[in-house]
Amino acid sequence: MFRFPPLTPFVKKLLIALFGAWILQILLQNWAGVPVFAFLALDTAQPGVATLWQLGTHVLAFPTGPQAVFSMLIMLVFLWWMLAPFEQRFGEKRTIQLCAVAVLSSAIFGLIVGLLVPKPSPLYGAQAMLLGSIAAFAWSYRGQGRMSLFGVVDMKPVHIIYLVLALSVLMFITSGDAVALAADIGAIGGGMAFIEWLRRPPSGRRRRPKRRKKKSSLDVVRGGRADEPRWLN
């Protein structure tokens, strides 16, 4: 039966932070004339000093027009839908790490492609965390049967990743935004790589050489009655 997952602690904080940052950006951008979007979004055309913080802050940059209302709300709902099950399974610490990996890998891929194409677009939005969580959760169930997509369609976990990649390619075909496509691929790859990192075998600790036991100066002598064997030092 289709239902939303419980709202986990980190996901709840994340949704509040993203929604609050969006409202604050609207007030500053539209009503105070402060260019917050340009400050937060990752400039892939001319990397510079600002790139150092934009690698992380681009997830807080959102369009502030009326058309962005529904897209923002849908983004928050899907983050809840996809990221909360991951936190339920792996915990808050791993979920924070996943988000960081997805955001950075998405930004790096987008930045590299931005240096290669003629007119790159800025990178913005929290889509990296969404795609990274989908890829990570599906990849964690690789080889373990089938998963239910939206509670309706049963698919192999790897097919869910293929579907997300196909949607990213379709969006690229319609928009021609190579930076966005590279960022999506980076986020998906980052989510899969994070699961592989979690599955790594524990690092082998150096085994300390066992100390040789000193030979005791005492000898063991059989004693007692023959029908009741005992040991006497």
Side-chain angles (χ1 to χ4, degrees), residues 34 58 112 128 156 205 224 233:
V34 179
H58 72 275
I112 293 174
K156 290 184 178 180
R205 298 178 180 178
N233 289 333

Side-chain angles (χ1 to χ4, degrees), residues 106-136:
S106 174
I108 292 173
F109 271 63
L111 191 61
I112 293 174
V113 172
L115 297 175
L116 301 176
V117 297
K119 295 180 180 180
S121 62
L123 185 62
Y124 57 88
Q127 187 168 339
M129 290 188 288
L130 174 60
L131 295 179
S133 62
I134 296 174

Side-chain angles (χ1 to χ4, degrees), residues 147-158:
M147 297 180 65
S148 179
L149 182 64
F150 306 130
V152 178
V153 183
D154 287 338
M155 303 176 64
K156 290 184 178 180
V158 69

Side-chain angles (χ1 to χ4, degrees), residues 38-228:
F39 180 79
L40 298 177
L42 178 60
D43 186 0
T44 59
Q46 297 178 346
V49 178
T51 305
L52 297 176
W53 66 76
Q54 290 175 353
L55 287 172
T57 60
H58 72 275
V59 297
L60 301 176
F62 303 102
T64 56
Q67 70 280 1
V69 175
F70 285 104
S71 61
M72 181 62 185
L73 294 178
I74 291 174
M75 174 68 68
L76 295 177
V77 169
F78 270 86
L79 274 175
W80 173 14
W81 204 350
M82 300 300 177
L83 201 56
F86 187 90
E87 184 177 357
Q88 280 185 300
R89 185 181 181 192
F90 293 98
E92 182 174 353
K93 178 182 177 181
R94 296 305 187 193
T95 307
I96 295 174
Q97 292 174 341
L98 170 65
C99 290
V101 169
V103 168
L104 289 178
S105 59
S106 174
I108 292 173
F109 271 63
L111 191 61
I112 293 174
V113 172
L115 297 175
L116 301 176
V117 297
K119 295 180 180 180
S121 62
L123 185 62
Y124 57 88
Q127 187 168 339
M129 290 188 288
L130 174 60
L131 295 179
S133 62
I134 296 174
F137 195 73
W139 196 249
S140 67
Y141 282 100
R142 178 171 56 100
Q144 300 183 26
R146 306 176 73 86
M147 297 180 65
S148 179
L149 182 64
F150 306 130
V152 178
V153 183
D154 287 338
M155 303 176 64
K156 290 184 178 180
V158 69
H159 290 167
I160 295 178
I161 299 177
Y162 293 158
L163 177 61
V164 174
L165 282 171
L167 291 175
S168 296
V169 172
L170 182 61
M171 293 177 64
F172 166 71
I173 294 174
T174 58
S175 66
D177 192 344
V179 171
L181 175 62
D184 289 352
I185 295 175
I188 294 171
M192 296 167 63
F194 182 74
I195 294 299
E196 290 298 320
W197 178 76
L198 288 182
R199 287 176 172 174
R200 74 195 189 287
S203 56
R205 298 178 180 178
R206 294 182 178 179
R207 294 183 178 179
R208 297 181 180 179
K210 295 182 179 180
R211 295 181 180 180
R212 294 182 179 179
K213 296 182 179 180
K214 294 182 180 181
K215 188 176 181 181
S216 175
S217 59
L218 302 176
D219 295 328
V220 178
V221 179
R222 185 184 295 272
R225 293 181 300 175
D227 59 342
E228 187 180 354

